[in-house]
Amino acid sequence: MAVIGTDILATKKLLEAGKVVGIPTETVYGLAGNALNDDAVLQIFKVKNRPQFDPLIVHTNSLKKIKSFVMDFPQKAQQLAEAFWPGPLTLLLPKAETISDLVTSGLGTVAVRIPNHILTLELLSELDFPLAAPSANPFGYISPTSAQHVDKQLGKKIPYILDGGSSQVGIESTIVGFEEDETVVYRLGGVSVEAIENVVGAVRLVAHSSSNPKAPGMLKSHYSPRKPFFISSLKEVLKDHSPQKVGYLTFQKVSKLVPIEHQRILSLSGSYTEAAKHLFAFMRQLDALEVEVICTELLPEKELGRAINDRIRRAAVRE
Ligand code: AMP
Ligand code: MG
């Protein structure tokens, strides 16, 4: 099993030696390797069992460093960076030659982000290379929001997990790019569309078109628990399953129809940010129960409710 700890120097040494390690971020935990070392990048794909056509996000701690990885940093990118970095926003920008095609899956753009986590920012400030870091889960499964989640699924394959506690945002970053003069959102995430529009004006959303090859993170069956996961009313699910065999993921309200220990309430007070923070951990907990199915509902389509619904919809697809 991986060592779980808070030793930044040990993490740094492993990364310098070309190893991949688990790191905390405010969105979810990442599986990190030297983005400028092709062997390390290949290991990331291998450990995750991630297809190489699904590109990786490059993380670092300063705008200055990021500007050395991209050919152009448009004004809207600058405004968004100033408003949301460090934070759960990823920008897609034309890549510089320093970034290998392995990282970007051959695309001309690179995804860059400054994560907002104190340990990881300190680690990044100590490194003279950026970190490629997708979420630290086996491809297609629920993203990890704690060091223990990472350990459970990838612990046998990596030497170290830097433990930064529970991820404070809890869902992945919002991915934003620029086409001509237009701002385009490719993946809904920790920064709401409303917040982005407040800074740069109207955006185009392509996040729901799951066939778009530009953002394979939008692959349909993603973030999935192992148990069948239905978006449905409890009453409907209870026609085919006994109450003892149903798990229930709900936004605000407890139900009397299934045992309370089979229910997870995302936010009793109706807070979207609290709901996002709990979402993946609760999905994992329900998946681990002795139930046959998990039933859930959608949240109102606003603010982070939209990103949460996006994850719920994809988790619910079974093909
Ligand atoms: P993850 O790090 O697992 O949250 O996934 C990263 C996601 O970012 C990928 O699945 C893509 O959807 C998106 N992405 C990363 N790099 C690029 C890129 N160069 N062009 C388009 N999308 C990208
Ligand atoms: Mg992922």
Side-chain angles (χ1 to χ4, degrees), residues 50 54-57 92 107 109-111 134-135 175 187 214-217:
R50 177 170 173 126
D54 193 358
L56 308 178
I57 297 173
L92 286 183
L107 296 167
T109 50
V110 59
S135 49
I175 300 181
R187 177 174 74 183
K214 201 165 177 190

Side-chain angles (χ1 to χ4, degrees), residues 143-222:
S143 296
T145 52
S146 73
Q148 288 67 33
H149 293 164
V150 181
D151 191 37
K152 217 165 177 192
Q153 293 183 308
L154 300 181
K156 286 193 180 126
K157 298 181 176 177
I158 56 177
Y160 198 81
I161 304 166
L162 188 61
D163 188 353
S166 299
S167 297
Q168 289 301 300
V169 173
I171 52 173
E172 295 83 352
S173 57
T174 305
I175 300 181
V176 174
F178 309 93
E179 293 181 22
E180 315 274 303
D181 252 358
E182 214 173 19
T183 309
V184 184
V185 172
Y186 294 100
R187 177 174 74 183
L188 296 168
V191 178
S192 70
V193 169
E194 291 90 334
I196 290 168
E197 288 190 325
N198 276 340
V199 176
V200 289
V203 303
R204 181 157 59 92
L205 246 182
V206 295
H208 287 295
S209 56
S210 56
S211 60
N212 182 357
K214 201 165 177 190
M218 297 160 30
L219 286 171
K220 257 188 167 181
S221 182
H222 220 78

